[in-house]
PDB file of all heavy atoms in Angstrom:
ATOM      1  N   ASP A 283       9.774  -0.758   8.480  1.00  0.00           N
ATOM      2  CA  ASP A 283      10.303   0.506   7.941  1.00  0.00           C
ATOM      3  C   ASP A 283      11.605   0.881   8.606  1.00  0.00           C
ATOM      4  O   ASP A 283      11.774   0.523   9.766  1.00  0.00           O
ATOM      5  CB  ASP A 283       9.249   1.577   8.374  1.00  0.00           C
ATOM      6  CG  ASP A 283       8.082   1.577   7.418  1.00  0.00           C
ATOM      7  OD1 ASP A 283       7.961   0.679   6.565  1.00  0.00           O
ATOM      8  OD2 ASP A 283       7.181   2.448   7.537  1.00  0.00           O
ATOM      9  N   ASP A 285      12.509   3.901   9.383  1.00  0.00           N
ATOM     10  CA  ASP A 285      12.503   5.174  10.136  1.00  0.00           C
ATOM     11  C   ASP A 285      12.195   5.129  11.612  1.00  0.00           C
ATOM     12  O   ASP A 285      11.922   6.168  12.249  1.00  0.00           O
ATOM     13  CB  ASP A 285      11.526   6.125   9.448  1.00  0.00           C
ATOM     14  CG  ASP A 285      10.071   5.588   9.410  1.00  0.00           C
ATOM     15  OD1 ASP A 285       9.891   4.569  10.018  1.00  0.00           O
ATOM     16  OD2 ASP A 285       9.189   6.277   8.855  1.00  0.00           O
ATOM     17  N   GLN A 287       9.646   4.099  13.039  1.00  0.00           N
ATOM     18  CA  GLN A 287       8.265   4.160  13.432  1.00  0.00           C
ATOM     19  C   GLN A 287       7.747   2.845  13.782  1.00  0.00           C
ATOM     20  O   GLN A 287       6.672   2.759  14.581  1.00  0.00           O
ATOM     21  CB  GLN A 287       7.402   4.819  12.242  1.00  0.00           C
ATOM     22  CG  GLN A 287       7.377   6.363  12.230  1.00  0.00           C
ATOM     23  CD  GLN A 287       6.472   6.878  11.242  1.00  0.00           C
ATOM     24  OE1 GLN A 287       6.576   6.586  10.045  1.00  0.00           O
ATOM     25  NE2 GLN A 287       5.515   7.634  11.687  1.00  0.00           N
ATOM     26  N   ARG A 386       2.498   3.420  18.040  1.00  0.00           N
ATOM     27  CA  ARG A 386       3.408   3.920  17.032  1.00  0.00           C
ATOM     28  C   ARG A 386       4.118   5.210  17.450  1.00  0.00           C
ATOM     29  O   ARG A 386       3.392   6.127  17.861  1.00  0.00           O
ATOM     30  CB  ARG A 386       2.645   4.129  15.681  1.00  0.00           C
ATOM     31  CG  ARG A 386       3.661   4.275  14.525  1.00  0.00           C
ATOM     32  CD  ARG A 386       2.928   4.234  13.191  1.00  0.00           C
ATOM     33  NE  ARG A 386       3.849   3.639  12.225  1.00  0.00           N
ATOM     34  CZ  ARG A 386       3.845   4.099  10.896  1.00  0.00           C
ATOM     35  NH1 ARG A 386       3.057   5.041  10.543  1.00  0.00           N
ATOM     36  NH2 ARG A 386       4.703   3.503  10.109  1.00  0.00           N
ATOM     37  N   ARG A 389       8.264   9.727  13.660  1.00  0.00           N
ATOM     38  CA  ARG A 389       9.530   9.464  13.092  1.00  0.00           C
ATOM     39  C   ARG A 389      10.726   9.890  13.913  1.00  0.00           C
ATOM     40  O   ARG A 389      10.700  10.927  14.554  1.00  0.00           O
ATOM     41  CB  ARG A 389       9.614  10.130  11.772  1.00  0.00           C
ATOM     42  CG  ARG A 389       8.757   9.641  10.650  1.00  0.00           C
ATOM     43  CD  ARG A 389       9.046  10.517   9.407  1.00  0.00           C
ATOM     44  NE  ARG A 389      10.307  10.140   8.913  1.00  0.00           N
ATOM     45  CZ  ARG A 389      10.606   9.305   7.913  1.00  0.00           C
ATOM     46  NH1 ARG A 389       9.683   8.664   7.351  1.00  0.00           N
ATOM     47  NH2 ARG A 389      11.887   9.184   7.493  1.00  0.00           N
ATOM     48  N   SER A 394       8.108  12.421   6.789  1.00  0.00           N
ATOM     49  CA  SER A 394       7.430  11.329   5.947  1.00  0.00           C
ATOM     50  C   SER A 394       7.585  11.699   4.471  1.00  0.00           C
ATOM     51  O   SER A 394       7.568  12.831   4.075  1.00  0.00           O
ATOM     52  CB  SER A 394       5.977  11.250   6.377  1.00  0.00           C
ATOM     53  OG  SER A 394       5.336  10.319   5.367  1.00  0.00           O
ATOM     54  N   TRP A 396       5.487  10.725   2.369  1.00  0.00           N
ATOM     55  CA  TRP A 396       4.210  10.730   1.832  1.00  0.00           C
ATOM     56  C   TRP A 396       3.568  11.971   1.954  1.00  0.00           C
ATOM     57  O   TRP A 396       3.167  12.486   3.096  1.00  0.00           O
ATOM     58  CB  TRP A 396       3.318   9.581   2.502  1.00  0.00           C
ATOM     59  CG  TRP A 396       3.779   8.260   2.300  1.00  0.00           C
ATOM     60  CD1 TRP A 396       4.570   7.453   3.120  1.00  0.00           C
ATOM     61  CD2 TRP A 396       3.537   7.363   1.122  1.00  0.00           C
ATOM     62  NE1 TRP A 396       4.902   6.268   2.496  1.00  0.00           N
ATOM     63  CE2 TRP A 396       4.205   6.182   1.383  1.00  0.00           C
ATOM     64  CE3 TRP A 396       2.897   7.579   0.000  1.00  0.00           C
ATOM     65  CZ2 TRP A 396       4.232   5.242   0.417  1.00  0.00           C
ATOM     66  CZ3 TRP A 396       2.811   6.548  -0.925  1.00  0.00           C
ATOM     67  CH2 TRP A 396       3.507   5.337  -0.681  1.00  0.00           C
TER      68      TRP A 396
HETATM   69 MG1   MG B 606       7.400   6.304   8.373  1.00  0.00          MG
END
Side-chain angles (χ1 to χ4, degrees):
D283 283 1
D285 61 3
Q287 275 187 303
R386 193 170 210 217
R389 285 185 70 98
S394 171
W396 293 98

